[in-house]
Amino acid sequence: MSDTIAAIVTPAGEGGVGLLRISGPEALALARGLFHPAEAVVSFAPSPWRVYFGEIRDPAGGTLVDEVLLTFYKAPKSFTAEDVVEIAAHGGMYITSRILDLIVGAGARLAEPGEFTRRAFQNGRIDLSQAEAVAGVIAAQSERALMASLDQLKGRLSARLNDQYERLIAVIAQLEASIDFPEEGLKFQKSEALKNDIDGVAGEMDALIESYRQGKIISEGARVAIVGKPNAGKSSLLNALLAEDRAIVTPHPGTTRDLIEERVRIRDIHIRIIDSAGLRKHPEVIEEEGIERTRAALAGADLALMLFDASQPLDENDELLLAEAAGKKKLVVLNKCDLPERLDTAALLGRLAGEEPVRISAREQTNLGALVDAIHDRVLGGEAREPLLLTRARHREQLVDARQALSRAGDSLGQGLSEEFIALDVDAAAQCLGRILGKVYSEDLLDEIFNEFCIGK
Ligand SMILES: Nc1nc2c(ncn2[C@@H]2O[C@H](COP(=O)(O)OP(=O)(O)OP(=O)(O)O)[C@@H](O)[C@H]2O)c(=O)[nH]1
Ligand SMILES: [Mg+2]
C-alpha cells in the first residue's frame, strides 16, 4: 500500500495558475479537510473528473488562503492510476507553498522528483519507456523532438519492442520444445524458420539502433565546429550565421585565440556552433593553446565545417586542416567567393573524395541559405529508414546488447549447436527488451531515471 504524496506541479515563480497534485489513498480525504465548495453542501463528495470551485481554508482557525478549482481523479483513471486530487490555485510562490504546507500538515508526504510518473509506471499504467518519454516531452524544444517523445509516450515504441519480445519468446518456446523431444532434434526446416525469425527481429533492431543518431540530434542538438586556417573567415562565418557581430574579425591571421560557442537554430535542430583558433603549422606560443582547443572542439563535434579561403592557393595550413579533419564527418565550405578564385578547387576536391562543397562569401553573406541547408542535411545524415526514433542512450545500449546476443544465437544455430545454448542467447536478447520496457527493473535503475525528473512530475 503506497502512502499519499503531494507537490506543486507548476514551475516555481509567478503565473496565472499554480497547480498542486495529491496522489494516493488519502488524497480525497486530505483535500476534503481543506476545501470548501462554493455551493453549500453538508459533506463535500465530488464526482470524479469534474471541476469544483471553492476556497482553501486553514483548518486551524478557518482563515481563507485562496480561491481555487479542485478536480478529483478517481483511481485508476488518473495520472498515477491512484486517487488524485488537483488544486488549481492562483500562481504565486507564497500561495502555493502555503497550500502545500496545509496538505502536508494534514498527512501527505512531499513527493520526490518524478515520483508521480514513477507511480504511474509501478501501477502499470505506462511502461518504463513511456515514463521516460514524459521527461522527453517536457524537455522538447522543437516539433520533431516533441513528436519523437510523443511517439514513445503514446506507446508506439513500446508496441514495437513488445512485438519483438513476443517473437523472441516464441523462438525460445520452439527451441525448448526441441529440447523436450531430443530424439527429433532440430530439423533442418525448423532451424531455417528459426533463423528467419531471429534475423527478422535483428533487422528491426538494427534500424532502431541506427535511428538513435538522428534521435539524439533532434532531442539534444548537434555540435558543429568551424575549422580552418587563420584568416579563412571562420569568425566572419560565425557572425553571419548568428546575424550579429559576436566574434572579433580582423585582417590579421591569428585573431581568434579561444573557442567561441553559440547556439543557433537551423530549422528544427538546435546547433551549438563553435568558432575556433585557426590551425597553423608553425604557431606562435600564444596560439598553441588555442590550437589545442580547436583540436578538442573538432574531436567533440558532430560535424566539422571545413573552411577554405578560395582566394588563396592551398598552403601548409590547409594541409594541416585536411590531416586534422580526416575521418570526421565534414562539410567543405569555400569562402571568399566574392574575390577571384586562386584555390585549385579541383585538386582539393580530388583529395576530399565525394565531398560536395558549398561556395559562400561570409563577408558579403552570399549563399548562406544553401550552407544552412547543407548543415542541416549533413547533421541529420539523410532520412532515417526507421520512422520511430530512439532518443535515449539507455534504450540504445540495451538494443545493442540484444542485437549482439541475437548474432550469437544466429551463429550457434548455423553451427548446429545445442538448443539450450541458442535459447540462452535469445533469452538474453529478450531480457534486454524487457529492461527497456521495465518488465525487469531494479530500484536503482528507477532512482536513476526518475531523479532526472523535476519535482511535481
Ligand atoms: N573578401 C572577403 N573577405 C572576407 C570574407 N570572409 C572574411 N573575410 C575577411 O578575412 C579576414 C579574416 O576574417 P576572420 O573572420 O577574422 O577570419 P578567421 O578565420 O576567424 O581568422 P582567425 O581568427 O585569425 O583564425 C577579415 O578581414 C575579413 O573581413 C569573405 O567572404 N570575402
Ligand atoms: Mg577568428
Side-chain angles (χ1 to χ4, degrees):
M1 192 68 185
S2 69
D3 53 357
T4 299
I5 55 173
I8 302 167
V9 300
T10 39
E14 291 181 5
V17 177
L19 196 69
L20 296 106
R21 182 182 285 154
I22 316 170
S23 178
E26 296 302 316
L28 185 57
L30 290 182
R32 284 173 64 181
L34 307 172
F35 180 77
H36 301 267
E39 278 175 35
V41 284
V42 181
S43 168
F44 178 56
S47 305
W49 312 294
R50 279 196 50 189
V51 182
Y52 291 85
F53 177 62
E55 294 175 354
I56 295 288
R57 290 195 214 128
D58 188 338
T63 45
L64 174 65
V65 177
D66 196 11
E67 284 194 318
V68 302
L69 294 173
L70 177 145
T71 314
F72 169 50
Y73 299 86
K74 194 169 162 50
K77 285 170 79 177
S78 73
F79 184 77
T80 55
E82 302 173 331
D83 275 358
V84 167
V85 171
E86 284 184 357
I87 297 169
H90 289 99
M93 301 260 276
Y94 177 72
I95 298 171
T96 46
S97 57
R98 175 98 162 80
I99 298 175
L100 184 62
D101 283 347
L102 292 179
I103 296 168
V104 170
R109 169 171 69 74
L110 286 178
E112 285 171 20
E115 197 170 3
F116 293 109
T117 313
R118 186 174 183 149
R119 287 191 172 191
F121 162 65
Q122 285 181 316
N123 294 327
R125 191 178 71 74
I126 51 177
D127 68 36
L128 198 53
S129 73
Q130 289 175 300
E132 291 171 292
V134 172
V137 167
I138 293 171
Q141 297 199 31
S142 72
E143 183 76 10
R144 278 182 86 167
L146 177 61
M147 285 305 148
S149 290
L150 277 178
D151 270 346
Q152 292 168 23
L153 183 65
K154 301 285 283 178
R156 284 189 54 204
L157 179 64
S158 315
R160 175 79 65 84
L161 298 177
N162 264 309
D163 175 63
Q164 295 175 1
Y165 182 86
E166 298 300 334
R167 281 150 69 193
L168 294 182
I169 298 298
V171 168
I172 295 171
Q174 297 228 37
L175 289 166
E176 281 173 352
S178 310
I179 299 169
D180 292 342
F181 301 101
E183 63 281 4
E184 296 191 8
L186 255 188
K187 298 240 167 56
F188 176 72
Q189 267 178 334
K190 195 169 164 195
S191 142
E192 278 292 287
L194 285 178
K195 178 105 177 63
N196 281 341
D197 291 348
I198 291 175
D199 287 350
V201 175
E204 283 184 23
M205 284 180 174
D206 283 339
L208 275 174
I209 292 168
E210 195 184 292
S211 79
Y212 175 70
R213 214 189 60 77
Q214 272 200 11
K216 182 170 184 283
I217 283 172
I218 284 168
S219 59
E220 291 173 21
R223 297 173 73 85
V224 174
I226 309 175
V227 284
K229 68 181 169 189
N231 235 22
K234 300 176 295 299
S235 301
S236 302
L237 177 56
L238 175 82
N239 291 346
L241 288 171
L242 293 175
E244 63 174 275
D245 279 338
R246 170 67 181 83
I248 298 171
V249 169
T250 77
H252 302 287
T255 301
T256 307
R257 300 243 151 115
D258 207 344
L259 299 180
I260 301 178
E261 187 170 322
E262 285 294 328
R263 286 164 155 271
V264 278
R265 189 168 163 153
I266 292 188
R267 282 197 241 146
D268 47 8
I269 311 174
H270 283 273
I271 305 257
R272 286 183 171 277
I273 192 138
I274 303 154
D275 176 23
S276 59
L279 288 167
R280 197 197 309 251
K281 198 116 191 183
H282 303 292
E284 295 165 24
V285 179
I286 194 163
E287 284 180 291
E288 276 173 11
E289 174 61 25
I291 291 179
E292 273 316 305
R293 291 180 188 200
T294 300
R295 289 201 171 98
L298 195 56
D302 297 298
L303 178 70
L305 278 194
M306 287 174 85
L307 200 59
F308 292 93
D309 180 345
S311 71
Q312 300 291 331
L314 208 68
D315 62 20
E316 59 173 7
N317 296 329
D318 292 312
E319 293 291 346
L320 180 62
L321 170 64
L322 285 165
E324 295 279 347
K328 274 305 294 184
K329 187 166 185 180
K330 51 180 83 81
L331 177 62
V332 177
V333 184
L334 307 179
N335 189 31
K336 307 198 187 181
C337 288
D338 52 302
L339 300 176
E341 186 166 304
R342 288 183 56 214
L343 179 71
D344 186 350
T345 45
L348 173 66
L349 294 173
R351 297 174 54 185
L352 287 161
E355 295 293 334
E356 188 67 38
V358 184
R359 290 165 201 271
I360 62 160
S361 165
R363 200 176 68 181
E364 307 300 322
Q365 312 217 340
T366 43
N367 219 20
L368 291 181
L371 176 62
V372 162
D373 287 347
I375 294 174
H376 183 272
D377 293 352
R378 204 54 66 90
V379 159
L380 277 187
E383 278 307 304
R385 64 184 161 121
E386 168 58 63
L388 280 175
L389 294 180
L390 285 194
T391 56
R392 308 217 140 235
R394 187 182 82 84
H395 299 173
R396 182 184 170 277
E397 278 163 25
Q398 294 295 340
L399 274 172
V400 167
D401 287 353
R403 181 64 185 85
Q404 284 168 356
L406 288 188
S407 291
R408 288 195 302 269
D411 290 350
S412 311
L413 200 59
Q415 292 163 17
L417 297 182
S418 83
E419 291 86 347
E420 279 105 329
F421 204 68
I422 305 164
L424 224 55
D425 277 326
V426 179
D427 185 59
Q431 296 299 322
C432 291
L433 294 177
R435 279 194 280 277
I436 299 179
L437 293 164
K439 290 181 196 291
V440 215
Y441 64 88
S442 67
E443 290 299 322
D444 283 351
L445 174 66
L446 295 193
D447 287 347
E448 201 178 300
I449 289 173
F450 291 106
N451 278 339
E452 268 181 46
F453 281 55
C454 42
I455 288 189
K457 215 38 247 173

